Amino acid sequence: MAQSGACVLTIDKRNPSEKILRCGSDLTITPAPGTVYRAAAAGEDGLPASVQLDSGALLIEFHSTRRREFQILTPQAIASVRGTKWAMEVKPGQTSTLVLLGQVTVTRKDVPDTVLVGPGQGVDIAGSAIRSMSDPKPAPVTVKKWAPERVKSLLARFGQ
Protein backbone atom coordinates (compact mmCIF):
# COMPACT_ATOMS: atom_id res chain seq x y z
CA MET A 1 0.00 0.00 0.00
CA ALA A 2 1.20 3.48 -0.79
CA GLN A 3 2.12 6.05 1.85
CA SER A 4 -0.40 8.83 2.41
CA GLY A 5 -0.75 10.83 -0.81
CA ALA A 6 1.66 8.77 -2.94
CA CYS A 7 -0.02 7.23 -6.01
CA VAL A 8 0.87 3.73 -7.22
CA LEU A 9 -0.61 1.30 -9.71
CA THR A 10 -1.39 -2.14 -8.26
CA ILE A 11 -2.66 -5.27 -9.99
CA ASP A 12 -6.41 -5.83 -9.73
CA LYS A 13 -6.70 -9.27 -8.12
CA ARG A 14 -10.10 -9.83 -9.78
CA ASN A 15 -8.76 -8.94 -13.22
CA PRO A 16 -4.93 -9.27 -13.39
CA SER A 17 -4.77 -7.53 -16.79
CA GLU A 18 -6.03 -4.29 -15.19
CA LYS A 19 -4.38 -2.00 -12.62
CA ILE A 20 -5.93 -0.06 -9.75
CA LEU A 21 -4.64 3.45 -8.99
CA ARG A 22 -4.17 3.90 -5.22
CA CYS A 23 -3.20 7.25 -3.73
CA GLY A 24 -2.58 6.55 -0.07
CA SER A 25 -5.78 5.95 1.85
CA ASP A 26 -7.50 8.95 0.24
CA LEU A 27 -8.15 7.83 -3.35
CA THR A 28 -8.71 4.51 -5.12
CA ILE A 29 -9.65 4.31 -8.81
CA THR A 30 -10.65 0.97 -10.31
CA PRO A 31 -11.04 0.98 -14.12
CA ALA A 32 -13.32 -1.41 -15.99
CA PRO A 33 -11.47 -3.41 -18.68
CA GLY A 34 -10.60 -1.26 -21.70
CA THR A 35 -11.09 2.07 -19.92
CA VAL A 36 -9.09 5.07 -21.14
CA TYR A 37 -8.30 7.65 -18.44
CA ARG A 38 -5.45 9.77 -17.07
CA ALA A 39 -4.83 11.48 -13.76
CA ALA A 40 -3.83 15.14 -13.55
CA ALA A 41 -0.46 16.01 -12.09
CA ALA A 42 -0.26 15.56 -8.33
CA GLY A 43 -0.82 18.60 -6.14
CA GLU A 44 1.10 19.64 -3.03
CA ASP A 45 -0.52 16.82 -1.05
CA GLY A 46 0.60 14.21 -3.61
CA LEU A 47 -2.94 13.60 -4.90
CA PRO A 48 -4.26 14.49 -8.35
CA ALA A 49 -7.00 17.14 -8.33
CA SER A 50 -8.81 15.42 -11.20
CA VAL A 51 -8.95 12.51 -13.61
CA GLN A 52 -9.90 12.75 -17.29
CA LEU A 53 -12.16 9.82 -18.29
CA ASP A 54 -12.27 9.49 -22.09
CA SER A 55 -14.06 6.13 -22.46
CA GLY A 56 -15.02 3.13 -20.38
CA ALA A 57 -15.91 3.23 -16.70
CA LEU A 58 -14.26 4.02 -13.37
CA LEU A 59 -15.20 3.08 -9.82
CA ILE A 60 -13.91 5.83 -7.53
CA GLU A 61 -13.48 5.95 -3.76
CA PHE A 62 -12.37 9.31 -2.42
CA HIS A 63 -12.08 9.88 1.32
CA SER A 64 -9.98 12.98 1.77
CA THR A 65 -8.66 13.73 5.22
CA ARG A 66 -8.33 17.35 4.10
CA ARG A 67 -11.02 19.77 2.91
CA ARG A 68 -10.41 19.42 -0.79
CA GLU A 69 -12.44 18.58 -3.84
CA PHE A 70 -11.77 15.89 -6.44
CA GLN A 71 -13.19 15.85 -9.97
CA ILE A 72 -13.78 13.37 -12.78
CA LEU A 73 -13.83 15.15 -16.15
CA THR A 74 -15.55 13.55 -19.17
CA PRO A 75 -16.46 14.85 -22.63
CA GLN A 76 -20.00 15.64 -21.42
CA ALA A 77 -19.80 16.23 -17.66
CA ILE A 78 -17.81 17.05 -14.53
CA ALA A 79 -18.39 15.21 -11.24
CA SER A 80 -17.07 16.90 -8.08
CA VAL A 81 -16.88 15.48 -4.56
CA ARG A 82 -15.26 15.92 -1.19
CA GLY A 83 -15.57 12.26 -0.17
CA THR A 84 -17.69 9.37 -1.39
CA LYS A 85 -17.87 6.24 -3.58
CA TRP A 86 -19.29 6.43 -7.07
CA ALA A 87 -18.94 5.11 -10.62
CA MET A 88 -18.77 6.94 -13.93
CA GLU A 89 -19.11 5.52 -17.41
CA VAL A 90 -18.41 7.18 -20.75
CA LYS A 91 -19.92 5.86 -23.96
CA PRO A 92 -19.93 7.67 -27.30
CA GLY A 93 -22.03 10.79 -26.73
CA GLN A 94 -23.01 10.06 -23.11
CA THR A 95 -21.66 10.16 -19.56
CA SER A 96 -23.44 8.27 -16.76
CA THR A 97 -22.81 8.77 -13.03
CA LEU A 98 -23.96 6.41 -10.26
CA VAL A 99 -23.50 7.30 -6.57
CA LEU A 100 -23.01 4.42 -4.14
CA LEU A 101 -22.18 6.36 -0.94
CA GLY A 102 -22.28 10.05 -0.10
CA GLN A 103 -23.15 12.74 -2.63
CA VAL A 104 -21.68 13.88 -5.94
CA THR A 105 -22.25 17.18 -7.73
CA VAL A 106 -22.55 16.60 -11.47
CA THR A 107 -22.35 19.48 -13.95
CA ARG A 108 -23.01 19.46 -17.68
CA LYS A 109 -19.83 20.68 -19.39
CA ASP A 110 -21.38 22.80 -22.15
CA VAL A 111 -24.15 24.45 -20.07
CA PRO A 112 -23.98 25.37 -16.38
CA ASP A 113 -26.57 22.85 -15.14
CA THR A 114 -25.61 21.25 -11.81
CA VAL A 115 -27.39 18.54 -9.83
CA LEU A 116 -26.66 16.81 -6.53
CA VAL A 117 -26.77 13.00 -6.78
CA GLY A 118 -27.20 10.79 -3.70
CA PRO A 119 -26.85 7.06 -2.92
CA GLY A 120 -28.60 4.77 -5.43
CA GLN A 121 -29.21 7.68 -7.77
CA GLY A 122 -27.69 8.42 -11.14
CA VAL A 123 -27.68 10.84 -14.05
CA ASP A 124 -27.13 10.45 -17.76
CA ILE A 125 -25.76 13.41 -19.70
CA ALA A 126 -25.94 13.24 -23.48
CA GLY A 127 -23.43 14.99 -25.72
CA SER A 128 -25.79 17.68 -26.94
CA ALA A 129 -27.50 19.81 -24.34
CA ILE A 130 -29.92 21.32 -26.88
CA ARG A 131 -33.42 19.76 -27.00
CA SER A 132 -34.11 20.66 -30.63
CA MET A 133 -33.59 23.48 -33.12
CA SER A 134 -37.12 24.75 -32.40
CA ASP A 135 -36.43 24.66 -28.63
CA PRO A 136 -32.81 25.80 -28.10
CA LYS A 137 -33.04 25.58 -24.29
CA PRO A 138 -30.85 22.81 -22.88
CA ALA A 139 -32.43 19.55 -21.82
CA PRO A 140 -32.37 19.43 -18.00
CA VAL A 141 -30.05 17.07 -16.16
CA THR A 142 -32.38 14.70 -14.32
CA VAL A 143 -31.46 12.69 -11.24
CA LYS A 144 -33.12 9.26 -11.16
CA LYS A 145 -33.07 6.23 -8.89
CA TRP A 146 -31.34 3.54 -10.94
CA ALA A 147 -32.99 0.15 -11.31
CA PRO A 148 -31.14 -2.66 -9.48
CA GLU A 149 -30.37 -4.35 -12.81
CA ARG A 150 -28.62 -1.24 -14.13
CA VAL A 151 -26.59 -0.85 -10.93
CA LYS A 152 -25.58 -4.54 -11.03
CA SER A 153 -24.64 -4.28 -14.70
CA LEU A 154 -22.31 -1.31 -14.13
CA LEU A 155 -20.74 -2.76 -10.96
CA ALA A 156 -20.18 -6.10 -12.73
CA ARG A 157 -17.70 -4.25 -14.99
CA PHE A 158 -15.52 -3.93 -11.87
CA GLY A 159 -16.00 -7.52 -10.73
CA GLN A 160 -18.46 -6.51 -7.99
Side-chain angles (χ1 to χ4, degrees), residues 9 11 22 26 42 46 67 72 79 83 88 108 113 132 144 151 155:
L9 287 172
I11 292 174
R22 295 185 193 278
D26 289 356
R67 298 245 344 133
I72 299 291
M88 290 189 74
R108 182 187 302 279
D113 187 4
S132 69
K144 296 179 182 175
V151 172
L155 294 180

Short mmCIF file of all heavy atoms in Angstrom, two decimals, residues 9 11 22 26 42 46 67 72 79 83 88 108 113 132 144 151 155:
data_model
loop_
_atom_site.label_atom_id
_atom_site.label_comp_id
_atom_site.label_asym_id
_atom_site.label_seq_id
_atom_site.Cartn_x
_atom_site.Cartn_y
_atom_site.Cartn_z
N LEU A 9 0.25 2.23 -9.00
CA LEU A 9 -0.61 1.30 -9.71
C LEU A 9 -0.39 -0.08 -9.12
O LEU A 9 0.75 -0.53 -8.97
CB LEU A 9 -0.29 1.29 -11.20
CG LEU A 9 -0.73 2.52 -11.99
CD1 LEU A 9 -0.17 2.47 -13.41
CD2 LEU A 9 -2.24 2.64 -12.02
N ILE A 11 -1.91 -4.31 -9.18
CA ILE A 11 -2.66 -5.27 -9.99
C ILE A 11 -4.01 -5.52 -9.35
O ILE A 11 -4.13 -5.70 -8.14
CB ILE A 11 -1.86 -6.58 -10.13
CG1 ILE A 11 -0.61 -6.32 -10.97
CG2 ILE A 11 -2.71 -7.68 -10.76
CD1 ILE A 11 0.33 -7.49 -11.06
N ARG A 22 -3.97 3.64 -6.66
CA ARG A 22 -4.17 3.90 -5.22
C ARG A 22 -3.29 5.08 -4.83
O ARG A 22 -2.09 5.07 -5.05
CB ARG A 22 -3.80 2.68 -4.40
CG ARG A 22 -4.70 1.49 -4.65
CD ARG A 22 -4.35 0.34 -3.70
NE ARG A 22 -4.96 -0.90 -4.12
CZ ARG A 22 -6.21 -1.26 -3.87
NH1 ARG A 22 -6.97 -0.46 -3.20
NH2 ARG A 22 -6.68 -2.41 -4.29
N ASP A 26 -6.52 7.95 0.66
CA ASP A 26 -7.50 8.95 0.24
C ASP A 26 -8.24 8.60 -1.05
O ASP A 26 -9.41 8.92 -1.18
CB ASP A 26 -6.82 10.31 0.03
CG ASP A 26 -6.39 10.96 1.32
OD1 ASP A 26 -6.68 10.42 2.40
OD2 ASP A 26 -5.74 12.02 1.26
N ALA A 42 -0.01 15.53 -9.77
CA ALA A 42 -0.26 15.56 -8.33
C ALA A 42 -0.07 16.98 -7.79
O ALA A 42 0.78 17.74 -8.24
CB ALA A 42 0.69 14.61 -7.61
N GLY A 46 0.26 15.45 -2.94
CA GLY A 46 0.60 14.21 -3.61
C GLY A 46 -0.56 13.56 -4.34
O GLY A 46 -0.40 12.53 -4.99
N ARG A 67 -9.88 19.15 3.60
CA ARG A 67 -11.02 19.77 2.91
C ARG A 67 -10.57 20.11 1.50
O ARG A 67 -10.03 21.18 1.26
CB ARG A 67 -11.48 21.02 3.64
CG ARG A 67 -11.95 20.73 5.01
CD ARG A 67 -13.37 20.95 5.37
NE ARG A 67 -14.22 21.74 4.56
CZ ARG A 67 -15.44 21.31 4.24
NH1 ARG A 67 -15.87 20.12 4.59
NH2 ARG A 67 -16.22 22.07 3.55
N ILE A 72 -13.91 14.23 -11.61
CA ILE A 72 -13.78 13.37 -12.78
C ILE A 72 -14.30 14.19 -13.95
O ILE A 72 -15.44 14.68 -13.92
CB ILE A 72 -14.59 12.07 -12.65
CG1 ILE A 72 -14.12 11.25 -11.46
CG2 ILE A 72 -14.51 11.25 -13.95
CD1 ILE A 72 -12.74 10.65 -11.59
N ALA A 79 -17.87 15.65 -12.54
CA ALA A 79 -18.39 15.21 -11.24
C ALA A 79 -17.41 15.68 -10.18
O ALA A 79 -16.20 15.45 -10.29
CB ALA A 79 -18.53 13.70 -11.18
N GLY A 83 -15.81 13.58 -0.74
CA GLY A 83 -15.57 12.26 -0.17
C GLY A 83 -16.76 11.35 -0.37
O GLY A 83 -17.84 11.65 0.13
N MET A 88 -18.46 6.15 -12.74
CA MET A 88 -18.77 6.94 -13.93
C MET A 88 -18.46 6.10 -15.14
O MET A 88 -17.49 5.34 -15.16
CB MET A 88 -17.98 8.24 -13.96
CG MET A 88 -18.44 9.21 -12.90
SD MET A 88 -17.73 10.85 -13.07
CE MET A 88 -18.63 11.51 -14.46
N ARG A 108 -23.13 19.59 -16.22
CA ARG A 108 -23.01 19.46 -17.68
C ARG A 108 -21.87 20.38 -18.11
O ARG A 108 -21.76 21.50 -17.63
CB ARG A 108 -24.32 19.87 -18.35
CG ARG A 108 -24.30 19.73 -19.84
CD ARG A 108 -25.55 20.32 -20.48
NE ARG A 108 -26.78 19.74 -20.02
CZ ARG A 108 -27.30 18.59 -20.46
NH1 ARG A 108 -26.65 17.91 -21.38
NH2 ARG A 108 -28.43 18.14 -19.99
N ASP A 113 -25.39 23.54 -15.67
CA ASP A 113 -26.57 22.85 -15.14
C ASP A 113 -26.05 21.82 -14.16
O ASP A 113 -25.48 20.81 -14.55
CB ASP A 113 -27.33 22.18 -16.29
CG ASP A 113 -28.66 21.60 -15.87
OD1 ASP A 113 -29.05 21.77 -14.70
OD2 ASP A 113 -29.31 20.97 -16.72
N SER A 132 -33.85 20.69 -29.19
CA SER A 132 -34.11 20.66 -30.63
C SER A 132 -33.86 22.06 -31.18
O SER A 132 -33.72 23.01 -30.44
CB SER A 132 -35.56 20.23 -30.91
OG SER A 132 -36.45 21.25 -30.48
N LYS A 144 -32.16 10.36 -11.25
CA LYS A 144 -33.12 9.26 -11.16
C LYS A 144 -32.57 8.16 -10.27
O LYS A 144 -31.36 7.96 -10.19
CB LYS A 144 -33.38 8.66 -12.55
CG LYS A 144 -34.01 9.61 -13.53
CD LYS A 144 -34.21 8.94 -14.86
CE LYS A 144 -34.82 9.92 -15.85
NZ LYS A 144 -34.94 9.36 -17.18
N VAL A 151 -27.68 -0.96 -11.91
CA VAL A 151 -26.59 -0.85 -10.93
C VAL A 151 -25.71 -2.09 -11.00
O VAL A 151 -24.48 -2.00 -11.08
CB VAL A 151 -27.15 -0.65 -9.51
CG1 VAL A 151 -26.04 -0.72 -8.47
CG2 VAL A 151 -27.90 0.68 -9.40
N LEU A 155 -21.69 -2.26 -11.96
CA LEU A 155 -20.74 -2.76 -10.96
C LEU A 155 -20.08 -4.07 -11.39
O LEU A 155 -18.94 -4.35 -11.01
CB LEU A 155 -21.41 -2.90 -9.60
CG LEU A 155 -21.85 -1.57 -8.97
CD1 LEU A 155 -22.50 -1.83 -7.61
CD2 LEU A 155 -20.69 -0.60 -8.84
#
